[in-house]
Amino acid sequence: MSPRLRGPVVAVLLAAIAFAGCAQPSHRTAAQLGGDPERGAVLMVREACGACHVIPGIQEAHGEVGPPLTGFARRTMIAGLLPNTPPNLARWILTPQAIVPGNAMPDIELSPREAADMAAYLETLN
Ligand code: HEC
């Protein structure tokens, strides 16, 4: 490639890479998810989160008490209040009553690890 072309070609390639990165802002690596999504899915069935929520990929999760968790990774805010990051989501799952007192989602007895795994699953939903 001629040196005259190399600059523009590199610029276009870098722009393409940057665009590919931005096209899916909600795609997170395993480390960024902060937990194990597969375990999270199993736990959400066990804890019957689906009694109150529609959750794609979770058996029997057709509840309509709370908002549908469809495409949750694309969501900007959790409960309209917390920025949607995996640690904030785990915090919400662990202590929703401390965050929005009196809302219909109960504090469920979970370990921080379990909440992080559930958050990791929800953060894979695009
Ligand atoms: C008894 C019903 C009920 C159960 C059980 C329940 N939730 Fe919720 N959930 C709600 C309600 C109601 C809200 C809305 C709270 C608010 O916005 O103040 C909510 C909100 C949420 C949100 C934030 C949604 C948003 O749109 O920002 C997430 C995430 C969530 N729940 C996950 C879970 C998980 C995971 C479980 C199981 C461990 C669970 N919920 C169990 C009722 C429930």
Side-chain angles (χ1 to χ4, degrees), residues 40 43-53 55 64-69 72 75-82 84 89-90 92-94 96-97 99-106 108 110 114-115 118-119 122:
L43 287 166
M44 283 195 286
V45 173
R46 189 189 82 190
E47 299 298 336
C49 308
C52 291
H53 293 285
I55 315 174
E64 293 187 330
V65 179
L69 305 182
F72 204 81
R75 200 75 73 75
T76 331
M77 304 297 278
I78 301 161
L81 202 67
L82 297 172
N84 184 9
L89 187 51
W92 169 265
I93 293 169
L94 209 51
Q97 290 301 318
I99 298 165
V100 179
N103 91 84
M105 179 161 160
I108 298 166
L110 297 167
E114 289 172 326
M118 293 188 197
L122 294 174

